[in-house]
Amino acid sequence: MKIPFVDLKLQYQSIKSEIDQSIQNVLDDTAFIGGKYVAQFEQEFAAYLGAKHCIGVGNGTDALTLTLKALGIKEGDEVIVPANTFIGTSEAVSLAGGKPVFADCDPDTQTITPETVEKALTARTRAIMPVHLYGNPAPVAELEELAGSRGLFLVEDAAQAHGAHYRGAKIGSFGQAAAFSFYPGKNLGAYGDGGCIATNDLEIAKRVKMYANHGRVKKYDHEFEGTNSRLDGIQAAVLSAKLAHLEEWTEKRRKIADLYRTNLSPLNLPFQKETTGGRHVYHLLVVRIPEREKVREFLSEKGIATGVHYPDALPDLGAYKHLGLGPESFPVSSKYSKKVLSLPIFPEMTEEQVVYVCDNLKDAVLKLGGI
Ligand SMILES: Cc1ncc(COP(=O)(O)O)c(C=O)c1O
């Protein structure tokens, strides 16, 4: 049996007529940049999140970068980010002109917490940027409280957490603003690059919109230099069509995660723990396992695709070598980066496929002499 890591073809087939019609509408109206399909998606996604404003941009990295720029982050300003995330998070801080400062993660939930953030605070800290890693909410209400008590901004990196909740509120509705990525493989993915910010602050919304469109007030009237980072009409129309399915897909992901847990219980593997008070949306289903590379190889021979998110903690990457931070500065993130294994998960996955992965994972562990 062949099990892909995600199956975007199958997803497209399941909603083909809706997607094809949505794209055709954009073509018929030649509403390629800006226009009604972008406005419609922005309204729908804001309503879904319970946020006042949503501004579409070119990708998730820009959503973070332009938010930080709109907040006035400048040279010398420090922004606290997790040591265990995709480089897009920390890169956005540098692109905005600030300095990323890394915080370690909680060993169970794998997100940053007020305790790990406290250790990274300095007099130059201006913002905290939690990542809802793999779709698991960071304790964002507590982080918002910490940020508020210190006069800091809180910006959510919600690139992996479409539809997640924390303490009854949607991820994307906390702090000054949140950034989403619509990279195709995300839980809400476009058919190309895309991203957005969500905020309750009209000024932030206006400034991000301007930054994303050359600092433009109206045609050929530019208040400042911005960039070109716009969500296009075709992507917006695809996203509107897919948004209607997001809750159903999320429930399926959660059921699949439960099925994995039940089937793998004899192995006693440490799974990422869902944050108390949070709803994990399982963008990724991550376990920790010794001998990871051998296990991956074994599974690959059985036709099962797996992933590693991420093979190095950010401070251990060449991009941050100049900071001179060793793995001992982020013991949990560094240690976990050598053990984390992402198992296939996508809403269309069948019970038979999950059982096949679990049986083979059990076999792999047995052949390697236990864990
Ligand atoms: C946590 C996180 N932050 C930021 C990004 C950047 O998003 P994009 O690839 O749309 O620029 C990603 C995307 O992979 C991500 O997973």
Side-chain angles (χ1 to χ4, degrees):
M1 200 187 291
K2 276 236 173 288
I3 317 269
F5 191 60
V6 290
D7 197 338
L8 294 181
K9 270 191 197 158
L10 199 55
Q11 189 191 61
Y12 171 57
Q13 289 305 329
S14 74
I15 52 168
K16 186 175 184 316
S17 58
E18 294 160 56
I19 294 285
D20 291 356
Q21 186 58 56
S22 305
I23 293 175
Q24 191 60 52
N25 293 343
V26 181
L27 300 181
D28 289 343
D29 291 334
T30 59
F32 300 126
I33 302 287
K36 68 176 181 187
Y37 298 101
V38 174
Q40 185 185 327
F41 173 69
E42 287 175 339
Q43 278 167 21
E44 287 170 356
F45 199 51
Y48 173 78
L49 296 175
K52 285 195 181 136
H53 314 280
C54 166
I55 306 294
V57 296
N59 54 67
T61 309
D62 284 353
L64 289 166
T65 307
L66 302 184
T67 299
L68 294 173
K69 276 176 164 282
L71 290 171
I73 295 298
K74 55 183 184 330
E75 207 184 324
D77 289 344
E78 294 181 355
V79 178
I80 297 176
V81 298
N84 60 329
T85 175
F86 177 62
I87 194 170
T89 313
S90 48
E91 204 174 40
V93 178
S94 308
L95 287 168
K99 181 183 171 204
V101 171
F102 298 104
D104 208 355
C105 66
D106 176 83
D108 295 325
T109 63
Q110 293 175 243
T111 72
I112 59 171
T113 63
E115 293 70 38
T116 67
V117 167
E118 291 267 8
K119 292 185 191 143
L121 288 169
T122 75
R124 312 193 84 158
T125 308
R126 289 285 309 282
I128 303 171
M129 210 151 82
V131 175
H132 307 296
L133 195 73
Y134 314 143
N136 188 35
V140 73
E142 289 81 351
L143 289 167
E144 189 176 39
E145 206 176 297
L146 172 67
S149 72
R150 307 266 182 150
L152 308 173
F153 298 124
L154 183 107
V155 175
E156 294 179 84
D157 179 342
Q160 303 183 355
H162 318 72
H165 299 181
Y166 188 65
R167 299 203 187 286
K170 280 259 168 62
I171 287 306
S173 61
F174 292 86
Q176 274 64 43
F180 288 87
S181 163
F182 300 128
Y183 181 80
K186 299 293 194 218
N187 288 21
L188 181 61
Y191 285 178
D193 273 314
C196 80
I197 73 132
T199 180
N200 289 324
D201 185 322
L202 180 61
E203 278 316 300
I204 295 174
K206 276 189 190 162
R207 283 189 81 74
V208 168
K209 195 170 177 139
M210 286 171 74
Y211 266 117
N213 198 13
H214 304 289
R216 173 176 144 158
V217 184
K218 57 183 193 296
K219 202 163 190 182
Y220 304 128
D221 180 2
H222 304 266
E223 196 173 302
F224 49 80
E225 282 182 336
T227 186
N228 176 353
S229 181
R230 300 174 295 226
L231 183 67
D232 71 64
I234 288 182
Q235 302 312 334
V238 166
L239 289 166
S240 282
K242 289 177 110 186
L243 181 59
H245 297 275
L246 184 59
E247 278 303 302
E248 169 204 329
W249 287 340
T250 302
E251 280 311 315
K252 286 188 176 159
R253 284 177 183 274
R254 289 181 56 83
K255 285 213 175 84
I256 292 165
D258 278 349
L259 200 56
Y260 265 116
R261 279 208 171 82
T262 310
N263 272 281
L264 291 174
S265 59
L267 291 184
N268 252 329
L269 284 179
F271 280 85
Q272 180 194 27
K273 187 171 170 274
E274 185 173 51
T275 302
T276 307
R279 181 207 199 200
H280 195 320
V281 293
Y282 293 101
H283 171 55
L284 296 169
L285 180 73
V286 177
V287 293
R288 298 189 298 281
I289 196 157
E291 306 276 12
R292 178 184 66 200
E293 295 316 314
K294 287 187 187 156
V295 171
R296 286 194 82 192
E297 214 179 292
F298 182 93
L299 293 178
S300 167
E301 279 162 14
K302 302 289 175 188
I304 300 166
T306 55
V308 172
H309 301 85
Y310 298 91
D312 291 290
L314 291 181
D316 298 335
L317 289 175
Y320 297 108
K321 273 280 173 285
H322 62 280
L323 298 176
L325 301 161
E328 64 287 354
S329 315
F330 310 97
V332 181
S333 300
S334 287
K335 190 170 102 192
Y336 280 18
S337 65
K338 303 304 161 216
K339 293 188 172 171
V340 283
L341 175 70
S342 308
L343 299 173
I345 188 163
F346 46 94
E348 300 76 15
M349 204 172 176
T350 63
E351 181 164 348
E352 193 193 358
Q353 287 177 312
V354 175
V355 169
Y356 180 75
V357 177
C358 293
D359 286 350
N360 279 292
L361 188 53
K362 286 183 213 160
D363 271 2
V365 169
L366 202 72
K367 289 215 166 67
L368 293 167
I371 51 167

